Amino acid sequence: MKFSLVNLQRANKLKIIETNLTLPMEFVLLGFSDIPKLHWFLFGIFLSVYIIILLGNGIIILITRVEPTLQNPMYFFISNFSFLEICYVSVTLPRMLMDLFTMRGNISFFACATQMCLFLILGATECFLLAVMAYDRYVAICNPLHYPVVMSHKVCTQLVVGSWIIGIPIQVGQTYQILSLPFCESNQINHFFCDIPPLLKLACGNIFVNEIVVFIFAVLIVTVPFMLILASYSRIISTILKLSSNTGRTKAFSTCSSHLIVVFLFYGSASITYLKPKSNKNEGTDKLLSLFYTILTPMFNPLIYSLRNKDVTGALRKLFSRLVAV
């Protein structure tokens, strides 16, 4: 009798654990619910930012397509990067605007999985494309005579396509392993979109192995391209310093400075978010950093490439003069 009573109690405990550790039907994105009085102010700010991102990056894509002086590999990559920025920000910002407008953050399990997977894939694409752009500058400055052959249109297309697809299997697997975890009773994500760090905080049990896997993937996708960028620019700087002409040095540095600014803006905030120790993570800081690399970097991208590039500013003047003439 005692034995059967003990077994019954154990069975009940297991049932409680099983009911608590289930896959939720939906999550709730808390977003900026801790500052409800600023909801409409934030909605106006983020809507304005989204419009600026779409217009700014759209103009970059347009002028690199129609302006004959911008038909070279560097602007081909910039155009693709601008298109990527539009896709990247469109995964998170429209959803955040809807949540601010409705004041509800409910998101289905499938929608959360889709958002996180797309966000990770596009983030990986950005890392690889920035590395490709650094390689393009390396070939242009260090091997100018071979540049037209090495960076042919076919090679440029292959590099861009490779940047888009190389991270897909990794990030699909990453999404699956995160969302296959058992989640506790709470389904509230203290973030404004579905991302790995806040979802891991909802997981139950020992997730040490999952955290190690996330860290390894982050190192592969963030650190390896960044090291390739550093290697390219170390060779570029070495070559530039050997130039005898001050004009040549200035021109060479100006073609690289815009790309370097974008690299440090993106990699700086993204690496802190995904590579810093868990014990040091602060949810408010994570949201701020996420805003930086998901929204501010795509917004600054057109400004950086247009204001610091004479060819782009010249093409913009031509475009506006044509529009005024019409």
Side-chain angles (χ1 to χ4, degrees), residues 74-144:
M74 183 175 81
Y75 295 109
F76 174 75
F77 292 128
I78 289 174
S79 174
N80 278 276
F81 188 73
S82 291
F83 175 71
L84 171 63
E85 294 286 55
I86 290 173
C87 296
Y88 186 63
V89 78
S90 295
V91 172
T92 56
L93 199 44
R95 175 81 209 189
M96 184 170 65
L97 288 170
M98 187 184 75
D99 291 342
L100 286 168
F101 184 78
T102 60
M103 297 186 182
R104 294 175 69 246
N106 299 62
I107 182 169
S108 69
F109 182 85
F110 178 76
C112 184
T114 303
Q115 185 187 55
M116 186 169 80
C117 189
L118 289 174
F119 177 77
L120 293 174
I121 289 170
L122 293 171
T125 302
E126 184 149 348
C127 291
F128 293 123
L129 193 54
L130 285 170
V132 166
M133 292 168 77
Y135 175 69
D136 170 68
R137 292 298 82 211
Y138 159 73
V139 178
I141 292 171
C142 299
N143 297 290

Side-chain angles (χ1 to χ4, degrees), residues 13-59:
K13 284 182 180 179
L14 285 172
K15 283 182 181 178
I16 292 168
I17 292 170
E18 285 174 2
T19 55
N20 287 343
L21 305 180
T22 56
L23 290 176
M25 293 300 292
E26 69 171 15
F27 291 103
V28 178
L29 293 168
L30 297 180
F32 304 97
S33 58
D34 53 333
I35 44 175
K37 292 181 180 180
L38 295 178
H39 268 207
W40 289 111
F41 173 74
L42 291 173
F43 178 82
I45 291 293
F46 291 135
L47 179 61
S48 302
V49 167
Y50 189 46
I51 292 170
I52 291 169
I53 291 169
L54 294 179
L55 289 175
N57 286 284
I59 289 170

